[in-house]
Amino acid sequence: MTDQSEPVSRRARPAKPPLSRRAILDAARALMRERGVEAVSLRQVAQQVETGPASLYAYFANRDVLLEHVLDAAYGEVELVEVGAGGWREALAATISNTIDALESYPGLGAFALGTIPTLPGALRLAEHELALMEAGAIPEDRAALAVDLIAQFAAATAIEHRTRKEHPRGDVERRHVRAAYENADPALFPRVARSAALLTGPDERARREFSIRAIIAGIRTDAADGPAAYTPRVG
């Protein structure tokens, strides 16, 4: 039987979307969300946008530059919480938590963030908001500047820890093992560890995150009460 179907002309096929910085960045973001930062190579991204790796160099000088833009896109996704009934502390705590969530949505990006000094618009938007919240709390500018750096490090480190726990879940069995090890610690050498075994192993990830965020904010405010001259940043 002869195939009577009409051949499809190449001209009738949908045109490939034009290559652009946005298309490349969107492909890299989608790839990272699905497979993690390790999967984001120029070759893999090029396959996603149906071109050769060499074509990407016209838009991003190398992989690190591309990852910097993915990181900035993540910062740009952070929901910024304005001052409300809870005051600047609650707004800052919620913004920090949202920053962690944004980084966690891109598996492995937290590790890259730790080694990066962000200068792109998404990061500047986030820093500006954090500074504004601390200004509302009468935090001296020098401490607020240090706090922005501390918050960025904490958010990235927390995102890394979350990914590690997700990839290598410890579960209740290991939790019980750790608790038993603390409870059975030599009371002559480690009396406080043995006594606090349940407390040391009880809080879940969310509780630990919330405590850490509030401890950071409390520390910023406490230092501020001592006056700007009480803190001397280390140089070198």
Side-chain angles (χ1 to χ4, degrees), residues 65 118 184:
V65 173
N184 295 325

Side-chain angles (χ1 to χ4, degrees), residues 24 96 213 216:
I24 296 169
I96 295 172
I213 291 174
I216 289 172

Side-chain angles (χ1 to χ4, degrees), residues 101-145:
D101 290 340
L103 291 176
E104 287 180 352
S105 69
Y106 293 92
L109 190 59
F112 181 80
L114 279 180
T116 303
I117 301 176
T119 59
L120 297 175
L124 298 183
R125 162 185 171 270
L126 180 57
E128 178 70 20
H129 184 71
E130 292 169 348
L131 290 170
L133 292 178
M134 286 183 277
E135 183 177 81
I139 304 300
E141 291 185 349
D142 57 342
R143 283 183 173 74

Side-chain angles (χ1 to χ4, degrees), residues 9-19 49-50:
S9 168
R10 295 184 63 182
R11 293 184 180 181
R13 296 174 185 171
K16 184 173 68 175
L19 189 62
V49 293
E50 300 180 18

